[in-house]
Amino acid sequence: MKTSTKTVISINNISKVYEGPPPVRALDGVSLEIKEGDFVSIVGQSGSGKSTFLNMIGLLDSITDGSIEIEGKDVSELSDNELSKFRGEKIGFIFQFHQLLPELTAKENILLPSMIGKFDSSKSHDNLNKLSSILDINKILDKKPEFLSGGEKQRVAVARALI
């Protein structure tokens, strides 16, 4: 199998310092290149900066030094509004604790990013149908999160990230 050489994420010497008495250096000079099709695991001891690193790649947290390029775009130079737009169009998240909105059904939780981003409704519903079939969640789409098992919640979160 031929692997791709297209770089999708390039992390260049990033650092993160949390201000405060005393300042905490969570990351110091981390670099990584991720190519299309790569599977990457971030592992380390508790407190080693894994969550900080992922929050910076996911554009949820700012970097102190260095740069991050996603699909050739230096996202470290974007304004807050541009970051929000880029994140909404290019990045999906699956959080450890699902972050499903309890007042919404599984279907509404999945479609939420497309509603916020004002994406084409018919395309979003087509994607919903494909994803719910692949993830075997068709029968739970009308249920609220409190009535879902942990695995079902996780699959809803996966569908939401991919929608």
Side-chain angles (χ1 to χ4, degrees):
M1 180 167 100
K2 184 179 178 186
T3 58
S4 174
T5 57
K6 178 183 175 188
T7 300
V8 288
I9 299 176
S10 181
I11 298 152
N12 305 297
N13 204 32
I14 62 170
S15 298
K16 178 65 177 181
V17 177
Y18 290 103
E19 299 302 325
V24 175
R25 183 168 287 276
L27 292 174
D28 190 17
V30 176
S31 296
L32 174 68
E33 194 170 274
I34 302 172
K35 303 220 181 272
E36 187 175 67
D38 283 354
F39 286 84
V40 178
S41 295
I42 309 298
V43 297
Q45 294 180 328
S46 180
S48 64
K50 300 179 301 291
S51 293
T52 296
F53 183 63
L54 291 172
N55 283 336
M56 292 190 319
I57 294 173
L59 310 181
L60 296 173
D61 199 358
S62 62
I63 60 176
T64 303
D65 293 305
S67 66
I68 298 174
E69 291 181 18
I70 300 176
E71 294 183 344
K73 185 174 196 77
D74 186 348
V75 295
S76 37
E77 301 292 323
L78 298 178
S79 70
D80 286 344
N81 285 339
E82 291 169 323
L83 279 172
S84 292
K85 184 176 183 336
F86 189 88
R87 192 172 39 245
E89 293 173 356
K90 298 286 185 181
I91 298 175
F93 295 95
I94 304 169
F95 294 96
Q96 182 175 357
F97 296 106
H98 314 110
Q99 305 299 333
L100 300 178
L101 297 177
E103 62 275 7
L104 300 181
T105 64
K107 178 180 180 177
E108 292 165 336
N109 268 287
I110 293 167
L111 289 172
L112 188 61
S114 60
M115 291 186 287
I116 292 170
K118 298 182 173 96
F119 294 104
D120 180 289
S121 178
S122 65
K123 185 175 181 184
S124 294
H125 280 84
D126 286 346
N127 288 339
L128 169 72
N129 292 333
K130 289 176 191 169
L131 289 168
S132 61
S133 179
I134 291 168
L135 296 169
D136 194 26
I137 56 174
N138 289 317
K139 294 179 179 151
I140 63 164
L141 291 177
D142 293 325
K143 293 183 180 180
K144 293 195 175 180
E146 67 181 299
F147 300 108
L148 302 178
S149 71
E152 289 170 334
K153 289 177 187 176
Q154 192 68 41
R155 285 181 280 152
V156 169
V158 169
R160 181 182 55 194
L162 294 173
I163 196 77

